[in-house]
Amino acid sequence: MKYYLHENKWEDVEAYLKEKKTILLPVGSVEQHGKHLPLGTDSLLAQDIAMDVAEKTGVLIASPLWYGWAPHHMAYPGTVTLRPETLTQVVEDVLNSLIYHGFEKILIINGHREANLPPLRIALTRVRNNTGAFVGIADPFYINAVAGRELSEVEPGGIGHAEELETSVMYDRHAELCSPEAAVKNIPSDHNRFLQHDPNVLTDKILTASDVAHYKEATHGVGVMGDATPADKDKGREYQKRMVDNISEFVEYLEGLEVEIRKREIPL
């Protein structure tokens, strides 16, 4: 079989479901990533993670969702954002379609980090409670908090937007789309322990809303939050490996998980 659902015939899927009940769903975003990374960074990285996990575990990958919720990035040309309720509804319909055909365990690979999580969580909660299927989200922001601290040269944790670690993986996987000479450092002057993107203080983090009117100013007209200048492909390769190993271990656990489906229906 091919790993992507859309590259297979319906009989291939029927045969797969006799052996496995798990499928991955990459969800990303098309949004600005500074002057050094392409607009499709989040979607490309989600798909890369999904493919690496699929190759390691043998599970299928549902056709990717390229668009996410990214209203603040509309400050820069090329960004496309869905309304949060649209993303929720699309994900619900995709999940329910997969469950109808016999998939019982679905893991979303979210390449848009925290930003996609609110609408995704609503979709997952509705589908879980309605069908009984297992649905989960693998988000690098949380999964690789430890790896981020260990591999990053930048405080805090190298986590931001188009920063060190995200840039490092892109240099390794999609170098032809990147412009390293345009990488910059932008750590806002009001950066503090309450608002910082630091996995060490996730429990203390204050959540605030970004808006189009101020985002371009906050990112100094470049679009980066963090420091992309120390990025390198070797660091990206190691970061990717740790993510894939982590998610693959969970997928193997899922394959042994018993799930009781209560309801399967066609989205109408």
Side-chain angles (χ1 to χ4, degrees), residues 164-177:
E164 181 186 12
L165 293 180
E166 191 169 34
T167 298
S168 293
V169 181
M170 284 298 290
Y171 285 177
D172 179 47
R173 305 304 290 258
H174 300 280
E176 75 284 358
L177 301 177

Side-chain angles (χ1 to χ4, degrees), residues 248-262:
S248 296
E249 183 179 349
F250 183 70
V251 168
E252 289 167 358
Y253 159 78
L254 277 184
E255 276 299 287
L257 188 67
E258 293 293 328
V259 175
E260 183 179 348
I261 299 295
R262 296 189 295 273

Side-chain angles (χ1 to χ4, degrees), residues 4 6 25-31 39-45 47 63-69 80 82 87 90 112 116 174 177:
Y4 271 116
H6 56 266
L25 173 60
V27 180
S29 181
V30 175
E31 63 183 41
L39 293 159
T41 291
D42 289 350
S43 294
L44 291 169
L45 294 181
Q47 292 166 38
S63 304
L65 296 180
W66 278 83
Y67 298 116
W69 186 35
V80 176
L82 299 180
L87 180 57
V90 169
H112 191 28
N116 270 348
H174 300 280
L177 301 177

Side-chain angles (χ1 to χ4, degrees), residues 32-38 76 161-163 167 171 175 177-186 219-231:
Q32 71 82 23
H33 270 76
K35 296 181 179 181
H36 64 296
L37 298 182
Y76 292 89
H161 179 72
E163 41 35 74
T167 298
Y171 285 177
L177 301 177
C178 303
S179 301
E181 71 281 359
V184 299
K185 176 181 180 179
N186 174 41
T219 55
H220 293 174
V222 178
V224 174
M225 292 291 279
D227 188 356
T229 59

